[in-house]
Amino acid sequence: MRSAVARGAATVGIGCAGGVAFYLLNLPLPWVLGSLFASALVSQLSGFRPGLPAAWRNWSMVAIGTMLGTGFTPDVIARAGSWVVSLAVMTLLSFAFCGLAYAVFRRWGDMNRETALFAAMPGGLSVVTMLAEHYKTEANRVVLCHTARLVVLLVSAPLLIQWISGIDLAEANRTAFSGAEPLDLVEHGTLALVAVASWFIATRVRFPSVMLLLPLFASAAIHATDLVTVHVPPVLSALAQIVIGAGVGARFADYSLRQIARDGWLAAVVGLVFAASSLAAAFVVAPLAGADVAPLFLAYLPGGAPELGVVALALMIDPAMVAAHHVARVFLIVALLPWAASRVAGKKDGAP
């Protein structure tokens, strides 16, 4: 399939098949994890290389951003001031996670300083890949480390949440469709227009993650003022999750099993340590911040904003709070990564 559209359609079809299989088996996050595993499996066991046109991922980012923005209701905005403590802890954790991962990748990953730094970033893959080309990084290893760690976080997050909160993951899967709100032509039409306008403006703005951030801010603005109160229809939500999951799985098409074994296992171990550390921090901070453990846990996980935002949406675990923390982390990475990369690149050979 030489056509990008045909290959993209086949990839989405593979993702849909995986999502349906996970849904019927009552597995957690079926549309994300099912599509991810189906796409990754096909990439490794067949001659077909899954892939999605860049525009399709952009559209899914717009959908995810719009969905996350719907969580910013007036009640949520009223308690946003209580997030100061948890945001401060998230910032400190991000520095700690980055430092630990950098040391691990340098010591056991046999990476140069620039590659280890970019691979250690706690999220922000779009920012990382955009800047990586300006430094002496092995970009393929950076993306593999981020992908392997993200897979671990996506798999472990719902299981740990079920353990700490008792949420029935199978019931959450069914509720997404059975509890869908009726279609309101005016409000849903307004939400669609805002999403399309956000996409149009985002195509003309050069900023990392703008396809996610701009729709999120726009959707949050109209929901915070009660101008619109509806949500994205579940079918479109599931399709956006399938594109996200299949896109992550498709990245494995660029790697051999030997490459995955070399860097993937180390990044996976780092991901497990990060998940455990995030959960421990959530337990400690929850009484101080007056928040529940589950949303704090999702907010502290150092993964992708859209992917972990989807987890919060799928399980209905304070998506606005989770999104706010991950957006703050994206801006932190945008602000500090170029400075950190320049400092690391300027060190003499042999420096840690």
Side-chain angles (χ1 to χ4, degrees), residues 79 151 196 202 212:
R79 63 181 176 83
V151 170
V196 172
L212 174 76

Side-chain angles (χ1 to χ4, degrees), residues 39-273:
S39 179
L41 192 64
V42 168
S43 72
Q44 291 298 313
L45 299 182
S46 73
F48 177 67
R49 292 173 57 85
L52 297 168
W56 292 19
R57 178 172 170 79
N58 288 341
W59 297 337
S60 68
M61 289 293 101
V62 171
I64 297 296
T66 302
M67 287 190 286
L68 290 172
T70 63
F72 287 83
T73 62
D75 291 340
V76 170
I77 296 298
R79 63 181 176 83
S82 65
W83 298 344
V84 174
V85 173
S86 60
L87 282 168
V89 173
M90 181 276 297
T91 301
L92 294 176
L93 278 175
S94 296
F95 283 116
F97 287 157
C98 183
L100 174 62
Y102 176 81
V104 169
F105 291 142
R106 283 285 286 158
R107 174 65 178 82
W108 289 287
D110 192 28
M111 297 181 183
N112 62 38
R113 293 186 298 274
E114 292 88 343
T115 300
L117 174 66
F118 279 74
M121 283 293 108
L125 182 57
S126 62
V127 182
V128 169
T129 52
M130 185 181 75
L131 293 174
E133 62 187 35
H134 300 295
Y135 298 89
K136 296 178 181 179
T137 64
E138 298 175 84
N140 62 327
R141 300 185 73 185
V142 170
V143 175
L144 175 57
C145 286
H146 277 262
T147 302
R149 187 176 68 210
L150 181 58
V151 170
V152 169
L153 297 181
L154 286 174
V155 172
S156 62
L159 299 178
L160 290 173
I161 286 172
Q162 180 174 259
W163 173 62
I164 62 178
S165 64
I167 292 176
D168 187 335
L169 299 179
E171 181 63 26
N173 294 342
R174 294 188 292 268
T175 302
F177 288 93
S178 62
E181 61 194 1
L183 185 66
D184 184 306
L185 292 179
V186 175
E187 292 205 15
H188 278 100
T190 301
L191 187 61
L193 286 175
V194 168
V196 172
S198 298
W199 166 80
F200 181 78
I201 296 172
T203 58
R204 286 151 177 78
V205 176
R206 184 173 176 78
F207 186 83
S209 302
V210 68
M211 283 291 175
L212 174 76
L213 297 178
L214 190 57
L216 191 159
F217 292 147
S219 177
I222 61 176
H223 282 83
T225 55
D226 260 349
L227 178 64
V228 171
T229 59
V230 298
H231 301 79
V232 174
V235 172
L236 292 179
S237 172
L239 181 59
Q241 293 177 55
I242 288 170
V243 172
I244 292 294
V248 173
R251 294 177 196 163
F252 287 99
D254 296 326
Y255 308 101
S256 65
L257 290 175
R258 182 177 180 180
Q259 289 173 310
I260 294 173
R262 182 186 66 176
D263 292 330
W265 76 270
L266 192 58
V269 171
V270 169
L272 288 173
V273 173

Side-chain angles (χ1 to χ4, degrees), residues 308-331:
L308 292 174
V310 162
V311 177
L313 286 166
L315 301 179
M316 291 309 296
I317 300 177
D318 208 342
M321 177 187 180
V322 174
H325 284 68
H326 282 280
V327 167
R329 183 185 283 116
V330 168
F331 280 105

